[in-house]
Amino acid sequence: MTNLSVNINKIATLRNARGGNVPNVETVAIDCERFGADGITVHPRPDQRHIRHDDVLALRPLVRTEFNIEGYPSEEFMQLVLLVKPSQVTLVPDAPDVLTSSAGWDVEPNLDFLSSIVDRLKEVGIRTSIFVSTDVENIRMAARTGADRVELYTGPYAADFKTDPEAAVAPYVEAALAARKAGLGLNAGHDLNLENLKFFKERVPHLLEVSIGHSLISDALYMGLEQTIQAYKACLK
């Protein structure tokens, strides 16, 4: 099976909209694991508009499955993840003011920078993943950083899925094979949902993990968190 990591940023967004501590991010993370999630993902941003640094510190001793922290590797971010030592750090090229991750790294011009970041993380035993598009040469360059995995940005797949599923998934199949050949593990995320996830899983080989937040939390408003996690897990069998 492909692992399901639940991104709980939207829980923090809802909490922050009102102030206080409802819904409780820590309780939701524990419940996600209890309901079958294979991991918890958070993406602390510089403005801390959803997950905050103190949330990350509070979650570290509570998460019993895989803890994945996404973010742009600023020095502030690096100090946080080196202190927390999650299972995995996913490096994304986000500018501080973007709403969501909407593009992968252009690895070649950032090769030295990313390699140095990967080295720092691997020195303390943290698995590294680089957020990329399906460009095969870019994936080969990602392998040169020493990273353990790449995470494929699946926004284009989700956008094209309704009109032509086979054409939408074809670049991801090619990218998956390229990642495998380069010695990289494969993750995926962004806009995956109950409509398109099963097809993606069936077509894309060697898929180790998907990270899903917005769609899963939105579905949980109607279905409940436990039933929603089980439905996403069923897509990955």
Side-chain angles (χ1 to χ4, degrees):
M1 280 188 62
T2 300
N3 284 343
L4 171 66
S5 187
V6 177
N7 186 320
I8 59 172
N9 274 24
K10 283 297 184 294
I11 301 300
T13 301
L14 183 59
R15 175 200 62 189
N16 297 349
R18 184 68 180 264
N21 199 29
V22 177
N24 186 292
V25 168
E26 297 163 44
T27 299
V28 171
I30 293 169
D31 285 341
C32 285
E33 292 183 319
R34 185 163 59 89
F35 297 151
D38 304 296
I40 300 297
T41 291
V42 294
H43 187 152
R45 296 183 184 275
D47 62 6
Q48 301 193 58
R49 64 179 180 269
H50 32 61
I51 286 291
R52 300 166 179 159
H53 285 195
D54 58 349
D55 292 324
V56 177
L57 295 172
L59 286 166
R60 171 66 284 188
L62 300 177
V63 174
R64 301 302 182 192
T65 58
E66 178 183 288
F67 194 22
N68 174 46
I69 303 179
E70 302 177 341
Y72 179 81
S74 65
E75 188 55 36
E76 182 181 26
F77 176 85
M78 290 298 293
Q79 290 300 321
L80 176 66
V81 297
L82 290 171
L83 174 63
V84 172
K85 294 185 176 66
S87 313
Q88 176 176 266
V89 167
T90 301
L91 305 175
V92 297
D94 288 354
D97 58 345
V98 299
L99 285 176
T100 186
S101 304
S102 57
W105 285 94
D106 185 2
V107 178
E108 186 170 14
N110 294 287
L111 182 63
D112 290 343
F113 172 63
L114 288 170
S115 298
S116 67
I117 294 297
V118 168
D119 286 346
R120 291 176 66 185
L121 294 170
K122 295 187 83 169
E123 281 177 4
V124 297
I126 300 172
R127 187 173 74 231
T128 55
S129 180
I130 296 179
F131 194 60
V132 295
S133 68
T134 55
D135 180 83
V136 168
E137 185 55 38
N138 202 44
I139 290 170
R140 294 190 185 113
M141 293 299 296
R144 290 180 56 185
T145 68
D148 302 291
R149 298 185 183 184
V150 287
E151 178 176 330
L152 298 180
Y153 167 54
T154 49
Y157 163 75
D160 296 338
F161 174 80
K162 289 185 178 181
T163 55
D164 192 340
E166 293 290 354
V169 83
Y172 294 86
V173 175
E174 184 180 6
L177 295 173
R180 182 79 164 192
K181 188 174 181 179
L184 292 164
L186 187 69
N187 299 340
H190 201 89
D191 291 340
L192 295 172
N193 57 39
L194 289 175
E195 182 180 4
N196 61 39
L197 179 60
K198 181 177 174 61
F199 184 85
F200 189 85
K201 160 65 178 173
E202 289 173 344
R203 295 300 195 278
V204 178
H206 316 305
L207 184 61
L208 298 174
E209 175 185 300
V210 294
S211 175
I212 304 178
H214 181 83
S215 295
L216 189 151
I217 300 303
S218 297
D219 288 332
L221 293 174
Y222 291 91
M223 299 168 59
L225 187 59
E226 181 173 9
Q227 184 177 342
T228 300
I229 289 174
Q230 290 302 309
Y232 275 86
K233 291 274 289 183
C235 292
L236 297 171
K237 289 184 179 179

